[in-house]
Amino acid sequence: MSRASAEREIVAPRLHECRGCGLLQSVPALLPGISAHCRRCGTTLHRARRHPLEHSLALTVAALILLVVMCLTTLMSVETAGIVHRAGLFSGPVELVQRGMTALAIVVVFVTVGAPFGKLLGTLYVLVRLREARPPRHLRRVFVLVERLTPWSMIEVFVLGVLVAYVKLGDLVTINLNTGVFALFALTFIMVWADGAMDHEAVWDALDRTTRPDATRRRPQALRRVAGAIGCESCGLVSVPAPGESHCPRCDSLLHARKPNSLARTWALVIASAVLYVPANLYPVLTVVQLGAGEPSTILGGVRELISSRMYPLAALVFFASIAVPMLKLVGLTVMLVATQSGRAGWLRDRTRLYHVVRFIGRWSMIDIFMEALLGALVRFGSVITIEPGIGAVAFCGVVILTMLAAETFDPRLMWDAALRTTRLHRHQASV
Ligand SMILES: [Zn+2]
Ligand SMILES: [Zn+2]
């Protein structure tokens, strides 16, 4: 590798605002494989990769091809009494629409097809056009869109939903895995790899160099810490907005010192999802009708059935994803909200870590929804055996989406601001 290209890969030193606690700190240029963490709360500020742009481009192309294959082929086929049913990616949502659960179908299609396609196409577009001599300015808006879509792309969760459906059906009918499932396995592997290889800072750095060369010349001054500096939520650039200016100079997103109305909005979303949590657990999510007989089962009932048929690992997985994770999210967010409003100063690092955990695990609750959609589409053998998704699934999907939005709306930096205010107040009272 030439010296010039090695230098091109190292992201320049710059000022960062920690997303966990809001501390401004400068991060030096990092060699590939090295990561920088916030010195106050431990949140990762930047992790440098080797050949970030080239690796991401190759992996994105591979993922796009696999996603197209998965959309066009059959995932699974089941056979009973001489009748064969095949299910592709869209069979589950089509079945949901026929049963009047259109909202659920839209969510499933968005998180398994829409968001992954948007994310991959956007990344490919940005990475390809970045190689031009004069890339267009709108690449920055496209890349912001990619970052916004990322949490909603749930391929790695979908693969677990498919796996649960496969094991669950094993007892009831003859089941075959088809091309689509193998494409899905490969796609999951590639997408996790691509997420690991992606260095957002390196892409922004390249965008700055090519679409805003004047900004690169100004960068050394930006390293000085200045009062009123705000970190952009979308691209991470720290800037001091001129009077009357409220947009990020790099990506044009609206700038806020803290997420607007964070506490009120998060409370509203947490309360709404706590309310929905009741029907999600009381109403059936699945009904298995075998030879004309069958009872609807709730989420907890499904776990009990798995235990009684001795599928312990699967029971543990469904219990964790559908019962433990939503509970942990609701309790965790409530603890963070109450601690922020009461200005508590203890456990700040742990609470920030809890925030990152709550944000990361939210999507895994969708396993149950994917499994129900797939089972409903596959098992339609009249009175011999039929599986119907239940209305509880709609409420449960609502809980997952609302708690994910709540985690995005909550601003962990407010916990540190509140604690700082309390400590200052105590110090002031002590001195008086
Ligand atoms: Zn921090
Ligand atoms: Zn920005």
Side-chain angles (χ1 to χ4, degrees):
M1 188 169 61
S2 73
R3 196 193 161 99
S5 73
E7 274 171 4
R8 208 180 56 218
E9 277 183 1
I10 295 173
V11 174
R14 63 182 46 183
L15 200 59
H16 266 267
E17 184 183 3
C18 172
R19 284 173 199 239
C21 71
L23 184 71
L24 282 173
Q25 52 212 301
S26 22
V27 174
L30 299 175
L31 285 169
I34 309 282
S35 49
H37 299 269
C38 171
R39 65 163 184 265
R40 187 159 73 171
C41 74
T43 300
T44 307
L45 297 173
H46 178 219
R47 186 173 287 138
R49 325 273 183 198
R50 204 172 293 278
H51 309 298
L53 305 184
E54 288 81 356
H55 283 187
S56 293
L57 182 59
L59 290 166
T60 305
V61 171
L64 260 177
I65 295 170
L66 286 166
L67 186 59
V68 172
V69 172
M70 185 179 80
C71 286
L72 299 179
T73 53
T74 309
L75 288 173
M76 284 186 193
S77 57
V78 294
E79 193 182 340
T80 206
I83 311 164
V84 179
H85 276 306
R86 288 172 218 287
L89 195 59
F90 298 100
S91 316
V94 168
E95 179 68 18
L96 289 174
V97 171
Q98 282 166 359
R99 291 181 192 278
M101 295 187 230
T102 312
L104 196 57
I106 292 172
V107 173
V108 172
V109 171
F110 178 69
V111 299
T112 54
V113 185
F117 249 120
K119 176 187 165 184
L120 291 171
L121 276 178
T123 312
L124 182 69
Y125 182 73
V126 170
L127 291 176
V128 167
R129 297 217 60 183
L130 251 183
R131 302 171 87 85
E132 292 175 9
R134 291 181 68 83
R137 280 180 62 91
H138 69 255
L139 286 190
R140 290 185 243 156
R141 297 296 309 160
V142 177
F143 198 58
V144 167
L145 204 67
V146 168
E147 305 231 37
R148 299 242 164 99
L149 277 177
T150 301
W152 301 99
S153 156
M154 299 193 191
I155 292 292
E156 69 278 25
V157 185
F158 184 56
V159 81
L160 278 185
V162 171
L163 212 70
V164 175
Y166 176 72
V167 179
K168 236 182 135 132
L169 276 183
D171 300 7
L172 299 171
V173 286
T174 317
I175 179 159
N176 295 307
L177 297 179
N178 299 97
T179 322
V181 161
F182 299 111
L184 173 63
F185 287 149
L187 175 63
T188 309
F189 179 70
I190 298 283
M191 284 197 76
V192 171
W193 188 1
D195 282 341
M198 180 55 127
D199 184 343
H200 296 263
E201 287 288 323
V203 176
W204 280 117
D205 220 42
L207 282 166
D208 273 352
R209 262 198 309 270
T210 50
T211 63
R212 247 181 23 141
D214 54 318
T216 324
R217 259 178 267 130
R218 283 207 309 264
R219 189 178 295 132
Q221 292 162 11
L223 276 174
R224 263 191 287 134
R225 291 173 203 188
V226 220
I230 296 181
C232 173
E233 288 283 334
S234 305
C235 71
L237 180 81
V238 176
S239 61
V240 184
E245 180 55 69
S246 54
H247 291 266
C248 171
R250 175 153 83 176
C251 72
D252 221 23
S253 301
L254 209 56
L255 287 174
H256 310 283
R258 295 291 179 260
K259 290 178 191 170
N261 294 328
S262 168
L263 294 182
R265 285 184 188 178
T266 314
W267 266 124
L269 289 163
V270 166
I271 293 169
S273 39
V275 170
L276 270 182
Y277 193 66
V278 179
N281 282 284
L282 284 183
Y283 286 106
V285 288
L286 212 62
T287 309
V288 183
V289 185
Q290 203 165 6
L291 300 171
E295 287 219 340
S297 67
T298 57
I299 296 178
L300 199 61
V303 176
R304 241 184 267 132
E305 277 163 30
L306 287 171
I307 293 175
S308 60
S309 35
R310 295 177 178 278
M311 297 184 197
Y312 300 119
L314 207 62
L317 176 70
V318 174
F319 178 82
F320 176 75
S322 313
I323 295 169
V325 167
M327 262 316 217
L328 176 71
K329 283 197 292 183
L330 286 176
V331 173
L333 282 165
T334 309
V335 166
M336 289 186 273
L337 283 165
V338 171
T340 310
Q341 281 177 324
S342 57
R344 291 209 169 270
W347 307 89
L348 273 170
R349 271 178 82 103
D350 298 284
R351 273 190 271 145
T352 311
R353 214 168 291 145
L354 175 69
Y355 170 75
H356 292 307
V357 170
V358 163
R359 198 163 166 234
F360 172 77
I361 57 173
R363 55 226 309 278
W364 293 95
S365 302
M366 287 296 279
I367 291 178
D368 229 49
I369 303 286
F370 294 144
M371 186 256 301
E372 283 140 23
L374 206 60
L375 290 186
L378 272 170
V379 190
R380 289 174 289 119
F381 298 102
S383 59
V384 180
I385 181 165
T386 297
I387 296 183
E388 290 173 16
I391 197 70
V394 179
F396 184 72
C397 186
V399 173
V400 180
I401 304 278
L402 288 178
T403 44
M404 275 181 75
L405 287 174
E408 292 298 321
T409 318
F410 183 71
D411 194 332
R413 295 171 294 182
L414 292 174
M415 298 194 286
W416 294 80
D417 295 349
L420 210 65
R421 267 199 304 275
T422 318
T423 339
R424 273 200 203 126
L425 192 70
H426 282 309
R427 253 188 236 143
H428 179 70
Q429 280 167 347
S431 65
V432 170

